[in-house]
């Protein structure tokens, strides 16, 4: 089976690519890592105007979705440009609220998410992670602990992270919004959505890493010739491209299955997540090797993508957990 985007989806991807390229995201990422979220929220507003967050919100709450395929298109472009902030977590929170069955909570938060006025973070304590991504900057932090969900009242100090632009903080206090088996079911669905768009994000950043590495291999010379002409370099770049190309149809297939609410969607999403994130990490290793010592410097914009690749590898499902889910009977 072939999974190809239609003309409208391809145009959507091109428009996001052009918009984010014009936004100068490397400077935005560095500002976010330093604690200045204003440039990031400006980009957030532009993404909302393009309808990105509305894709995760049902029509009855001013959204356009849920549309998993279009979400993967958007997140691939956001990964390509290393957009900072809790973009994955906001979409996951929307999926959670949509499935929670609490009309009051959905009406209170989903329209704001769709319009871009509300940035949310979602923390699942059942995943043994006591931290929420960008809790200090989110307008709402939802914390799921077993069969209960609460709206955090505050956030603790920001903790060090592999990716400085992914700022982790412990959500504190807050009031319980709902309790019951429907909370755990909604959280499981939200985790699947988060894993899918994380995979798309990893695919996009892997493509940027590869494109910049190919460009550099044409510029850097040894023994009077471009290093891109060396067979060893060609093979490494080709292997990276193949891994990314194999991950793309897995992501698209998982999105189609999720949209159909197929019970097998979890396994499909796990396969896509591990393939895309491992491909992105391979792209990061290739970029480091081809760039040499230059690749380790923080001043090089490439480092922003390299660090994010490593962080996304374990976000919303470690490789081991994803492989175990794929292989489960």
């Amino acid at each position: 089976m072939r999974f190809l985007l239609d003309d409208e989806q391809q145009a959507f991807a091109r428009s996001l690519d052009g918009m984010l390229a014009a936004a100068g995201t490397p400077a935005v990422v560095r500002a976010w890592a330093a604690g200045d979220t204003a440039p990031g929220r400006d980009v957030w507003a532009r993404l909302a105007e393009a309808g990105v967050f509305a894709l995760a919100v049902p029509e009855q709450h001013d959204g356009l979705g849920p549309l998993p395929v279009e979400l993967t298109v958007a997140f691939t472009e956001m990964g390509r440009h290393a957009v900072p902030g809790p973009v994955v977590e906001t979409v996951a929170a929307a999926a959670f609220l949509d499935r929670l069955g609490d009309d009051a909570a959905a009406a209170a938060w989903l329209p704001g998410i769709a319009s871009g006025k509300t940035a949310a973070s979602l923390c699942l304590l059942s995943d043994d992670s006591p931290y929420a991504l960008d809790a200090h900057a989110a307008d709402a932090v939802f914390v799921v602990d077993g069969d209960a969900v609460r709206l955090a009242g505050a956030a603790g100090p920001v903790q060090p992270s592999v990716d400085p632009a992914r700022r982790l903080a412990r959500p504190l206090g807050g009031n319980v919004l709902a309790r019951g088996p429907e909370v755990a079911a909604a959280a499981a669905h939200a985790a699947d959505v988060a894993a899918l768009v994380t995979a798309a994000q990893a695919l996009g950043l892997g493509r940027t890493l590869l494109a910049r590495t190919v460009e550099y291999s044409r510029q850097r010379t040894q023994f009077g010739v471009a290093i891109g002409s060396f067979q060893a370099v060609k093979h490494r770049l080709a292997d990276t491209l193949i891994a990314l190309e194999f991950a793309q149809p897995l992501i698209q297939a998982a999105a189609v299955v999720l949209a159909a609410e197929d019970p097998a969607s979890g396994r499909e999403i796990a396969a896509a997540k591990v393939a895309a994130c491992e491909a992105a990490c391979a792209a990061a290793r290739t970029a480091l090797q081809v760039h040499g010592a230059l690749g380790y410097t923080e001043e090089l914009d490439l480092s922003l993508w390299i660090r994010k690749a490593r962080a996304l590898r374990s976000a919303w499902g470690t490789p081991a957990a994803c492989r175990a889910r794929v292989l489960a009977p």
Side-chain angles (χ1 to χ4, degrees):
M1 182 180 292
R2 299 179 68 193
F3 295 96
L4 299 175
L5 301 178
D6 60 29
D7 292 343
E8 186 175 350
Q9 291 164 338
Q10 292 180 35
F12 180 48
R14 287 193 298 270
S15 68
L16 290 178
D17 182 31
M19 180 192 72
L20 293 172
T25 51
V28 175
V29 174
R30 287 192 166 92
W32 193 278
D36 180 8
T37 60
R41 291 305 292 256
D42 287 342
V43 173
W44 191 288
R46 297 182 198 180
L47 290 169
E49 289 177 4
V52 169
F53 299 110
L55 296 172
V57 177
E59 293 182 7
Q60 63 265 35
H61 293 294
D62 302 334
L64 301 171
L67 297 172
V69 175
E70 283 72 14
L71 275 172
T72 60
V73 172
F75 273 82
T76 299
E77 297 308 315
M78 285 193 278
R80 192 191 299 274
H81 294 278
V83 173
V87 287
V88 169
E89 287 66 25
T90 295
V91 166
F96 173 78
L97 291 167
D98 183 30
R99 289 297 182 94
L100 184 59
D102 187 324
D103 293 338
W109 297 105
L110 287 178
I113 290 175
S115 68
K117 295 179 180 178
T118 300
S121 191
L122 180 67
C123 176
L124 306 184
L125 295 183
S126 57
D127 289 346
D128 297 324
S129 174
Y131 299 106
L133 181 68
D134 294 315
H136 69 296
D139 302 301
V141 179
F142 300 95
V143 183
V144 178
D145 186 1
D147 64 350
V149 57
R150 60 183 169 87
L151 181 65
V158 174
Q159 303 298 312
S161 173
V162 171
D163 176 7
R166 290 175 60 83
R167 297 167 65 83
L168 302 172
R170 188 187 299 270
L172 305 173
N175 299 318
V176 173
L177 296 179
R179 190 186 301 274
E182 64 276 4
V183 172
H189 172 68
D192 281 345
V193 172
L196 176 63
V197 295
T198 298
Q201 205 176 22
L203 174 64
L205 73 89
R207 286 176 171 169
T208 292
L209 285 165
L210 178 60
R212 295 194 175 196
T213 304
V214 168
E215 181 182 1
Y216 184 73
S217 72
R218 293 168 176 164
Q219 299 171 356
R220 181 183 171 188
T221 60
Q222 285 184 358
F223 311 112
V225 297
I227 63 171
S229 65
F230 300 158
Q231 285 297 319
V233 175
K234 287 182 178 180
H235 289 166
R236 189 68 183 264
L237 295 173
D239 288 344
T240 301
L241 174 61
I242 290 171
L244 291 168
E245 289 299 306
F246 269 90
Q248 179 177 347
L250 290 177
I251 292 172
Q252 293 171 337
V256 170
V257 173
L258 180 63
E261 299 191 6
D262 191 308
S265 62
R267 183 174 297 182
E268 298 276 354
I269 290 170
K273 171 70 167 56
V274 70
C277 288
E278 295 291 53
C281 285
R285 290 192 295 269
T286 298
L288 281 172
Q289 183 180 40
V290 174
H291 281 79
L294 183 65
Y296 289 93
T297 61
E298 291 188 2
E299 291 77 12
L300 188 70
D301 286 347
L302 191 78
S303 67
L304 305 177
W305 279 261
I306 290 174
R307 289 182 172 185
K308 188 174 289 293
R310 185 178 176 188
L312 293 183
R313 185 172 185 262
S314 58
W316 295 103
T318 64
C322 289
R323 288 190 177 98
R325 191 173 188 185
V326 171
L327 297 174

